[in-house]
Amino acid sequence: MYQYAPALERYLGRYPLAAAPEIREVLFWSTDALAGLRPTLTIDHEVVYSPPELPGCTLIALKQLYSNHYTDGRLVLTAVVEQDAPGDAAPGLYLLVVQRLHFDALPSGGLANVRGGVIGKLRGSTVSRLREARTGSVRA
């Protein structure tokens, strides 16, 4: 992603010292409760950037700053690309999401396979959200 948007790389690499008026950002906290797991409190930093050198493209970077358990870190990179090529019957939209998680020292194996449970619940949640997105029934 950085080869296409070097200004975003500079901004994220120098944050919070860098200033970029064309980049919008927000810090927020949230709680997430997956069935059968303890609720998780996270604090995230999200950056939204539409590079002038890539018309019709918006890049979103989300970095987890804190989580009270299950994960030590998370990085989500999203590219939203408008497709308006000549000859297309209708304009379209491509959405590319790459997510990387780093789990804390969760017990695994045996009766207390917390790691397997957390990974399974996250996988199930992701599949469910992708199905909702595909059918157009995504909730805001």
Side-chain angles (χ1 to χ4, degrees):
M1 179 173 80
Y2 292 147
Q3 74 184 23
Y4 300 108
L8 181 60
E9 178 183 23
R10 285 190 300 275
Y11 178 77
L12 293 174
R14 298 189 59 220
Y15 181 83
L17 303 175
E22 70 277 6
I23 292 178
R24 297 177 309 274
E25 65 182 321
V26 65
L27 290 172
F28 63 94
W29 64 270
S30 61
T31 57
D32 195 10
L34 295 172
L37 298 175
R38 295 183 300 168
T40 303
L41 169 69
T42 59
I43 300 173
D44 295 309
H45 177 222
E46 186 174 68
V47 173
V48 179
Y49 177 55
S50 297
E53 61 272 17
L54 297 172
C57 179
T58 300
L59 303 172
I60 305 164
L62 182 135
K63 180 181 177 185
Q64 175 184 296
L65 301 176
Y66 170 80
S67 176
N68 62 338
H69 52 264
Y70 298 137
T71 58
D72 288 333
R74 177 182 61 176
L75 178 64
V76 182
L77 301 174
T78 303
V80 182
V81 182
E82 296 176 35
Q83 179 63 39
D84 192 17
D88 285 349
L93 189 78
Y94 288 95
L95 180 67
L96 174 66
V97 180
V98 178
Q99 178 170 253
R100 178 149 181 144
L101 297 166
H102 186 269
F103 293 97
D104 60 13
L106 298 172
S108 61
L111 294 175
N113 187 5
V114 176
R115 182 180 180 83
V118 170
I119 291 171
K121 301 278 185 186
L122 288 172
R123 183 176 292 126
S125 173
T126 301
V127 168
S128 176
R129 288 179 182 173
L130 288 171
R131 284 190 181 126
E132 288 174 356
R134 187 175 201 178
T135 61
S137 61
V138 176
R139 294 169 297 218

Coordinates of all heavy atoms in Angstrom, one line a residue, residues 56 81-86 88 90-94:
G56 N -10.2 8.2 -7.0 CA -11.2 7.2 -6.9 C -10.8 6.1 -5.8 O -11.5 5.1 -5.7
V81 N -11.9 1.2 -3.7 CA -11.5 1.7 -5.1 C -12.8 1.7 -5.9 O -13.5 0.7 -6.1 CB -10.5 0.8 -5.7 CG1 -10.1 1.3 -7.1 CG2 -9.3 0.6 -4.8
E82 N -13.1 2.9 -6.5 CA -14.2 3.1 -7.4 C -13.8 2.6 -8.7 O -12.8 2.9 -9.2 CB -14.7 4.5 -7.4 CG -15.2 5.1 -6.1 CD -15.5 6.6 -6.2 OE1 -16.0 7.0 -7.3 OE2 -15.2 7.3 -5.2
Q83 N -14.7 1.8 -9.3 CA -14.5 1.3 -10.7 C -15.4 1.9 -11.6 O -16.6 1.7 -11.5 CB -14.6 -0.3 -10.7 CG -14.4 -0.9 -12.1 CD -13.0 -0.7 -12.6 OE1 -12.0 -0.7 -11.8 NE2 -12.9 -0.4 -13.9
D84 N -14.9 2.7 -12.5 CA -15.8 3.4 -13.5 C -15.2 3.4 -14.9 O -14.9 4.4 -15.5 CB -16.0 4.9 -13.0 CG -17.1 5.6 -13.8 OD1 -17.9 4.9 -14.4 OD2 -17.2 6.8 -13.8
A85 N -14.8 2.2 -15.3 CA -14.2 2.0 -16.6 C -15.2 2.2 -17.7 O -16.3 1.8 -17.6 CB -13.5 0.6 -16.7
P86 N -14.7 2.7 -18.9 CA -15.6 2.9 -20.0 C -16.1 1.5 -20.5 O -15.4 0.5 -20.4 CB -14.7 3.5 -21.1 CG -13.5 4.0 -20.4 CD -13.4 3.2 -19.1
D88 N -18.4 -0.3 -19.0 CA -19.1 -1.0 -17.9 C -20.6 -0.5 -17.9 O -20.9 0.6 -18.1 CB -18.5 -0.7 -16.6 CG -17.2 -1.4 -16.4 OD1 -16.8 -2.3 -17.2 OD2 -16.4 -1.1 -15.4
A90 N -22.5 -0.6 -15.3 CA -22.8 0.2 -14.1 C -21.4 0.4 -13.3 O -20.6 -0.5 -13.3 CB -23.8 -0.5 -13.2
P91 N -21.2 1.5 -12.7 CA -20.0 1.7 -11.9 C -20.0 0.7 -10.8 O -21.1 0.3 -10.3 CB -20.0 3.1 -11.5 CG -21.4 3.6 -11.6 CD -22.1 2.7 -12.6
G92 N -18.8 0.3 -10.3 CA -18.7 -0.6 -9.2 C -17.8 -0.1 -8.1 O -17.2 1.0 -8.3
L93 N -17.6 -0.9 -7.2 CA -16.7 -0.6 -6.0 C -16.0 -1.8 -5.6 O -16.6 -2.9 -5.5 CB -17.6 -0.1 -4.9 CG -16.8 0.5 -3.7 CD1 -16.4 1.9 -4.0 CD2 -17.8 0.6 -2.5
Y94 N -14.7 -1.7 -5.5 CA -13.9 -2.8 -4.9 C -13.4 -2.5 -3.5 O -13.1 -1.3 -3.2 CB -12.6 -3.0 -5.8 CG -12.9 -3.6 -7.1 CD1 -13.0 -2.8 -8.3 CD2 -13.0 -5.0 -7.3 CE1 -13.2 -3.3 -9.5 CE2 -13.2 -5.5 -8.5 CZ -13.4 -4.7 -9.6 OH -13.6 -5.2 -10.9

